[in-house]
Amino acid sequence: MAMTITRADRAVVPDGWLTRLFDWKPFLVAVCLFPAIGLLVVFLTYPLGLGFWLAFTDTKIGRAGQFVGLANFVSIGQDPIFWLSVGNTLFYTALATVLKFGLGLWLALLLNEHVPFKSLIRAIVLVPWIVPTVLSAMAFWWIYDPQFSIISYFLKDVLHVRTTNVDFLGSPWSARLSLIAANVWRGIPFVAISLLAGLQTISVSLYEAAMLDGASAWQRFRHVTVPMLMPVLSVVLTFSVLFTFTDFQLVYAITRGGPVNSTHLMATLAFQRGIPGGQLGEGAAIAVAMIPFLVAATLGSYFGLARRKWQQGGRDD
Amino acid sequence: MTRFTRRQTLGLGIGAAALASPFGQAARAAVPTADATPPKIDIESGASLRVLRPAKFVPGDETAFNANTKAFTEATGVQVKVDYQAWEDLRPQTAVTANTGAGPDVVIGWTDDPHLYTDKLIELTDIAEYLGKKYGGWYPLAERLGKHFGTNNWIAIPLGGTGGAAVYRAGWVKEAGFDAFPKNTDDFLKMCQGLQKIGHPVGFTLGHAVGDANSFCHWLVWAFGGHMIDEAQKVTINSKQTIEALKYGKALYETFVPGTQSWLDPSNNKAMLAGEIAATQNGVSLYNSFKNAKDPNIAALAADVDNARMPVGPVGFGTETALVVNSMIFKHTAYPNAARAYLLYLMEVEQYDKWLTASLGYWAHPLKAYAKSDVWTIDPKVTVYRDTMQDSLWLAYKGPVSEKSAAVVADYVMVDMVAAACTGASTPEDAAAEAERRAKRYYQG
């Protein structure tokens, strides 16, 4: 005779303690979150906390330091090179971000149209992003070489519009602008591809409706594309600002902060003082001093763009 | 238990000699040695070592170093793994090792690195004294960098130093009216001006180049009697002598090829190899690059390229500096004796001379007897680098090497001062005052 186990029968079988434990929701949540929390603690919280702690000590490489309160911050606050690096970082971030967004958006709009070899062009656009930063930096180091720059060669020997080589990195302003150009080249793909993804989420019917209403191309861009793209824009802008503000490899590989510190960013100065210079406390203080700027940029982006009421269907006040 | 006794120490050398090439044997025969008793080192049972050193700059360096290491393993049974680290990454790696108390047992680091970690290193006085006795004594620069400041305790064994001599195109120098490379700064300026007039400017690095910029800028300031600090670590850079040096540097800069303000370490090599400049300051590697170039046109130029000591300034003595590789053993090693035996083995003539010779003069010896090595006479153009460790000054001159001096160098205080004054971004007076301010931040901190 076949036996069937009814729900009532199952109910009387006592569950093991392990089963009961895993049926307990708080425990299950804790177990599932543990790996993620563990990784965050090990790779984010601990290094960040250590950096904070070091910033308040006089730690040197190879020896433990003593708590010195705000001494490192007072010291860097009186250091004109630190303030030069702050100015450089803000200028670098602002100009590079504006250029990356302008060119990235333009590229995204182009790639969103029906153009031949679209996939190939998209792949090409991604190249600067997938090339390791140091390799990009080395390429630009050659491009900006005072003696052997391909640009100088082109201008001097091919077009004959110059008689001397371009000294890209030899003076403060040209060096700053040259580094920004390298950063823009490298950063455009991230902006362009992200915005392209955003553009492709916009319903075609919105454009059709706008066209039926007689909207011009500019009006369609202004009143359909931009608002619909704004959530993606805000996220991409936030990330772009963070990446640019903390840029290190491009600058360090191309100029190491020279000439005469005129291209030092806060990140490169923190490294120079902290690691080769051995002043871990001071290096950490410079790194920690970046945090207010980064928080401000993130909050500014978030409150300025992501939380705008019209994105939720309302109107801005 | 494996024992590496005094007798075996001597035996190791003999064993290695048998492995050497006929050329190596001939070279070793020239190196005079005195009777000295090596320290007794009992290698720990089952010992193995990890060694960290800078990546090769000339191919023979790595080949000979690895061969010597292999010979050590064969002679002692101690397995040694050598990691080669990019030059710029070596100091951070050393720092991590020092901070964590883990990692390589032996680090062949840069000039002042052992002085940053004095309390974490094994004392090497017995080895150093034996080597000094056997090989004619240590050069002053080696003693300065090997001993804990103010004591006779050796904390590092300087392996070798690369010099910063002048590399120049002899034909163009002659065309500019000089039969030989000038020996004093007045003639040097005239030569650079002459070279510029005939369309062959010189180029000395003023960018944030770790090696070459520090070599040139320190040479310049020291040549006129300036220095960052005195013996008591008082900051002395803002002096009449420094300002004289900067005025001279400004006049010299007018003869430079454009772009030197942004030059990193490889830049002057490229410019020289391409015939863009007539003279620069470099290690012997630049001359060797000409000699060994695959491009026959560049190789043909080697005959015209020569090396010379940088001119002597009003101070009256040579003021070049040297980049020294300085080996140290960290206390965290489980096999301190094996590590000591390894360093001792590398410095013995049977091994060291092979390495010195294979490096083609790029590394110069810290022990006086090696001045007789054949590497210094095989090619007379290399001979100028022979006395690198005898004649060079250390980057903290005149004060002690310390973490403060290392920080000042790493922050390019001297380089920025010279660059600012040379390019006219600051007056010499302002540049010296700014350097003083920056140096004081470290020395008063």
Side-chain angles (χ1 to χ4, degrees), chain B residues 28-39:
Chain B
R28 286 197 308 280
V31 176
T33 56
D35 283 338
T37 307

Side-chain angles (χ1 to χ4, degrees), chain B residues 390-410:
Chain B
Q390 176 180 285
D391 297 338
S392 300
L393 301 174
W394 61 101
L395 284 178
Y397 173 78
K398 291 177 155 183
V401 178
S402 68
E403 60 194 18
K404 291 174 181 174
S405 68
V408 169
V409 173

Side-chain angles (χ1 to χ4, degrees), chain A residues 309-316:
Chain A
K309 286 182 180 174
W310 48 261
Q311 284 189 44
Q312 283 82 42
R315 294 185 67 83
D316 285 333

Side-chain angles (χ1 to χ4, degrees), chain A residues 62 75 145 170 256 261 272, chain B residues 99 120 208 261 270 411 416:
Chain A
S75 173
D145 190 283
R256 284 203 195 91
N261 300 309
Q272 182 173 295
Chain B
N99 265 5
K120 294 176 188 292
H208 281 183
Q261 206 184 345
K270 284 190 299 173
D411 209 15
D416 286 344

Side-chain angles (χ1 to χ4, degrees), chain A residues 59-64 72 75-76 78-81 141-142 144-148 165 167 169-172 252-261 264 269 271-273 275-280 282, chain B residues 88 91-92 95 98-99 115-120 207-210 257-267 270-271 274 276 403-404 406-407 410-412 416-417 419-420 423 434 437-438 441-442:
Chain A
T59 306
K60 307 279 191 293
I61 276 185
R63 66 191 61 197
N72 286 324
S75 173
I76 60 172
Q78 295 167 344
D79 180 8
I81 295 169
W141 184 66
W142 274 102
Y144 294 150
D145 190 283
Q147 269 74 46
F148 308 107
N165 290 334
D167 194 6
L169 304 175
S171 63
Y252 204 73
I254 296 175
T255 66
R256 284 203 195 91
V260 196
N261 300 309
H264 256 313
L269 188 67
F271 175 79
Q272 182 173 295
R273 296 270 170 88
I275 304 299
Q279 314 287 310
L280 279 178
E282 185 174 324
Chain B
E88 299 236 332
R91 176 162 281 175
N99 265 5
H115 301 269
L116 308 182
Y117 317 118
T118 46
D119 54 339
K120 294 176 188 292
H208 281 183
V210 179
V257 71
T260 54
Q261 206 184 345
S262 63
W263 276 7
L264 300 183
D265 278 302
S267 305
K270 284 190 299 173
E276 296 277 330
E403 60 194 18
K404 291 174 181 174
D411 209 15
Y412 298 103
D416 286 344
M417 176 186 74
T423 57
E434 170 65 2
R437 180 197 68 77
R438 289 176 65 185
R441 286 186 72 237
Y442 293 103

